[in-house]
Every structure is written in C-alpha cells, then in structure tokens.
Amino acid sequence: GYQPPKWTGRCPECGEWGSVVESPAAPAPAGPAVTPLAPLEPARPIGSYSVAPARARPTGIAELDRVLGGGLVPGAVVLLAGEPGVGKSTLLLDVAQHWAAGAGRMAGGSRGEGSGPDGDPGPALVISAEESVGQVRLRAERIGALHPRLYLAAETDLAAVLGHLDAVKPGLLVLDSVQTVSAPGVDGVPGGVTQVRAVTAALVSAAKQRGMAAMLVGHVTKDGNVAGPRVLEHLVDVVLHFEGDRHSSLRLVRGMKNRFGPADEVGCFEMHEGGITGLPDPSGLFLNRRADPVPGTCVTVAMEGRRALVTEVQALKGAAVAGSPRRTGSGLDPARLAMVLAVLQRCRPRIRLHDHEVFAATVGGIRVVEPAADLAIALAVASSALDLGIAADLVAFGEVGLTGEIRRVSAVSRRLSEAARLGFRTALVPAGCGPSAPGGVPDGLVVHEVADLGQALDLAARS
C-alpha cells in the first residue's frame, strides 16, 4: 500500500535492494458518489409539452416589444442597464402602467387576485430601493402612470421584497435597482459581488416558480458594462442596455442577450417632459431636409441592429494650422475618421487635409460606428473641401479600404428600401450590391455601383 513519489529500488524500511515489488493501484473514483433519485416529473417527448405558458405578453410599448421579441414571457427575468439619469426608471414605470392597464381590462376591474384561469396576468408591482414612494408617485403623476392595479413599495431588504410578492401576487415585478437590495444572512455590502449574486438568484427563482415576469434595473461602470459579477448576466434571461446622451432626446434600448428573441434588435425612444415615447420611424430625427444642396453634408443608411436608419453626416474643413491639426468626430469613430481622411487625400491630392482641421458629426445625436458610413464621411469631407454641394436626394454607403476601394456591406436590401421609402432617388453602393444583388432595387431608386473612392467622388459631383 506504500506509494512513493518516484521509482524506488531500495526498501525504505529495511534498506534491502531489489525487494520492492510494484503492484497496480486501485483506480480512484471519478467524482463524489451520487445516489440516483426518482425525478419529480418523468421526461416526455418534446412534442408533448405545451408552449402556451411561454407565450410572450405584449407590454403595450411597441418599441420595447420589438427588442424583447414580442413582449414579456411569464417567468422571464429582464436586466435593464444604463447610465444614471438616462431614463431607466421612467421607462419601466411606463411599462408597469401599461401592464396594469392591460391586466385591469382582462380582470374586468378586479384587484389583487393574481394570475388565474380567467387569463388575468396579475397586477404590476414596483419596488423602489433608491427613491421614496413620494418621489416615484410624483414621477408617475407627471408621465400619467397612475393606475389602481399598479402597486408601489420602497424596500431595500430582500425578505421584505419576497413578502410583497406573497401579498400582491403580481404578474410583473419592477425592481429599481438590484444593486441596492441586500439579502439577509449573506456577507458583503449591498452592491457587492456576493450580495448581487444572492439577490438576483433569489428573484430569478421566485419569478420561475410564480410564472411572474421581472424587470431589474442594473447600474453600469464607467466603461459601460453592467456593474457586479459577470454571473449576473448569465442568471437573467434578457439583458438590455439603455443608451442615450443627456443633451439629446434620443434614447436607444439595445438587446445584448435574449433567450426568447433576437439579440441584435434596437428600440428607439424620445425623452420629453411628459415621459418617454417610442419612435417607430426615427429617421426624421437624423435628417435635415433641404431644397438645395449644401456643401459638407451627405446622407447614409446605418444599421442599428436589424433596423435601417437614414442618417445625415456633416463635415467641415477648418483653417490651416501648424503642427498636428485636430480631427474631431461627434457620433463617429475617431479612428475610422482619421483613416478615411488619409485615404481621401491620397485619392484626391488636390484636397489638402494634412494641414487643416477637420470636424465631422452626425445629426440627431445618433452614434454611427459601422464601416458602412465610410463612404458618406469621405463624400461629406470632400464636399466641404471643394465647396461643392451633393444632391439632397442621394444616399451613399460602403466601407472604404486603405487603397481606396469600396467594400461590400451587409443588409443592402434593407438599406435601399428605407432610402426609397423616405424619397431618395439616387444611391451609391459598393460593386456587386446593385441590381444584381439579392432583393433587387426598389422602384424609383437609381443605384450606381462604385468600385473605388475616386469613382464615387466623380458620380457625387455630377449628381
């Protein structure tokens, strides 16, 4: 039974050589012994299970339903993360009001009965762990979110939150926020890794057992990631990011994870004094319609998830400066802006940019970082440098390579359809993305395929 760490030729007990006999050791168990138990419910063929309990219930906000994949699934847990002051609490309070109004219609005005065979999804319960009930009440009055089946409580203890679930029996729980609730008996401070994991796990378990939809507000770090342990995003079913600039009314809800629908959808909202409303057609925010061409502008079609948004790019060639001139981009990727400027000057040497300041921006506060906007940036800068206006009914999209070639981009048919719907008549697209591409060209839209930046500049000048 003696097991030496290496080969041994001499007995460690008596000191005699050649007396140690090697024998095979018994195999070690692969893991802890587990006794099989009878399952609570036997496995059945997959086709015998009903999908009715997993049907999504619309929230009443079309843009949010678009991102969620049709609505909230009973038992689903949604994590909504975003920067402070962007409007997370306002959006979820509006969601709770719509849910309560829909539940009230289904229940015929009855209160506090929870989900039942009559199809009543149950009331909505908002738990505020950051604000007092008076503050939430004022916000609800301002946005018109008062309803008798919308319940409100201010709690920071997980046991009290679970007690409210037993008392109200809601169909929708809104918790603002998960980082400020503490679980009794768990080490750590509220917002710590251990506390956030315990609180989220308890709420996920409660939602699954009750068939209750839950929406949790999450804080973000300075890098824009969800604060807390990474396991938080694995525990929930849906992760949404609420984006927006405080100086702009535009808000975007972007799906990052979705077990019940597409994970690349984007919902557009507008923030105003009366609350937040969805924008089913937000392209008007990103365009400045003009009758005559204006130098330094070009329109492109950007993709936000699966949605095509017609966006105007503006550029300005500044004064000549000594040293390193500034290249400033608002709503654009600064690295791609610098690359496009270098390629543009190489293709058109008479456009002097190396010693001039260049400013570029998008209209409406939208951020466009995809390479498909390269062509529109180049045309806008060239238009400003040459003081030559581009036709107001022209759109351009395509990725610009370092040698000046125009590369293909994705979702060409959706981009062209959106441009034609808004009345544009001419489009500059990469080679191979024109009439021969899948989906064809919409009626009333003339498409020109361009192979390089020089050809695109010539066509834009003649337009």
Side-chain angles (χ1 to χ4, degrees), residues 1-8 10-13 20-23 25:
Y2 177 72
Q3 296 183 358
K6 60 181 180 178
W7 178 85
T8 302
R10 184 179 183 181
C11 178
E13 184 67 25
V20 178
V21 179
E22 181 181 1
S23 61

Side-chain angles (χ1 to χ4, degrees), residues 266-443:
V266 174
C268 297
F269 297 84
E270 184 179 10
M271 196 76 174
H272 49 80
E273 294 182 357
I276 186 169
T277 56
L279 292 175
D281 188 12
S283 294
L285 292 176
F286 317 129
L287 285 175
N288 284 332
R289 289 290 191 173
R290 304 179 182 89
D292 299 324
V294 176
T297 64
C298 185
V299 178
T300 187
V301 186
M303 294 299 299
E304 284 288 348
R306 298 185 176 185
R307 168 176 289 179
L309 299 178
V310 177
T311 307
E312 180 178 333
V313 178
Q314 298 182 347
L316 174 64
K317 176 185 175 183
V321 296
S324 299
R326 288 185 298 174
R327 275 85 170 90
T328 304
S330 176
L332 301 169
D333 186 358
R336 298 207 66 86
L337 174 61
M339 185 202 72
V340 170
L341 296 180
V343 176
L344 177 61
Q345 181 158 335
R346 182 181 180 276
C347 295
R348 284 290 189 271
R350 66 191 183 97
I351 302 178
R352 295 177 55 87
L353 299 174
H354 66 279
D355 56 350
H356 286 71
E357 296 180 331
V358 177
F359 305 91
T362 57
V363 174
I366 188 173
R367 180 167 175 79
V368 180
V369 295
E370 64 167 343
D374 291 351
L375 182 56
I377 296 174
L379 294 179
V381 174
S383 172
S384 176
L386 300 175
D387 196 22
L388 179 65
I390 297 177
D393 61 351
L394 180 142
V395 296
F397 54 85
E399 180 182 356
V400 176
L402 292 178
T403 59
E405 79 277 9
I406 307 299
R407 300 173 181 171
R408 296 187 181 185
V409 295
S410 61
V412 174
S413 61
R414 273 180 281 180
R415 298 177 197 262
L416 293 178
S417 298
E418 181 67 12
R421 185 183 70 85
L422 293 178
F424 290 88
R425 296 292 175 259
T426 308
L428 302 182
V429 301
C433 297
S436 60
V441 177
D443 295 336

Side-chain angles (χ1 to χ4, degrees), residues 155-297:
E155 297 289 350
T156 58
D157 186 82
L158 177 61
V161 173
L162 298 179
H164 284 295
L165 297 182
D166 292 335
V168 179
K169 296 181 175 59
L172 171 66
L173 168 66
V174 175
L175 179 62
D176 187 7
S177 67
V178 69
Q179 278 91 356
T180 54
V181 177
S182 60
V186 179
D187 296 335
V189 297
V193 173
T194 308
Q195 283 283 347
V196 171
R197 183 188 294 115
V199 171
T200 306
L203 293 176
V204 170
S205 177
K208 303 300 182 185
Q209 293 176 0
R210 300 168 183 269
M212 170 192 69
M215 302 193 74
L216 314 178
V217 175
H219 296 167
V220 297
T221 63
K222 61 181 180 180
D223 298 329
N225 299 319
V226 181
R230 198 69 177 182
V231 70
L232 175 63
E233 301 179 46
H234 292 282
L235 287 174
V236 300
D237 301 301
V238 183
V239 179
L240 306 179
H241 276 249
F242 201 18
E243 305 172 0
D245 187 358
R246 293 185 179 182
H247 306 290
S248 172
S249 61
L250 176 66
R251 299 291 187 268
L252 298 179
V253 175
R254 192 183 306 274
M256 308 301 294
K257 171 190 174 182
N258 193 349
R259 290 174 178 167
F260 312 109
D264 57 350
E265 273 290 0
V266 174
C268 297
F269 297 84
E270 184 179 10
M271 196 76 174
H272 49 80
E273 294 182 357
I276 186 169
T277 56
L279 292 175
D281 188 12
S283 294
L285 292 176
F286 317 129
L287 285 175
N288 284 332
R289 289 290 191 173
R290 304 179 182 89
D292 299 324
V294 176
T297 64

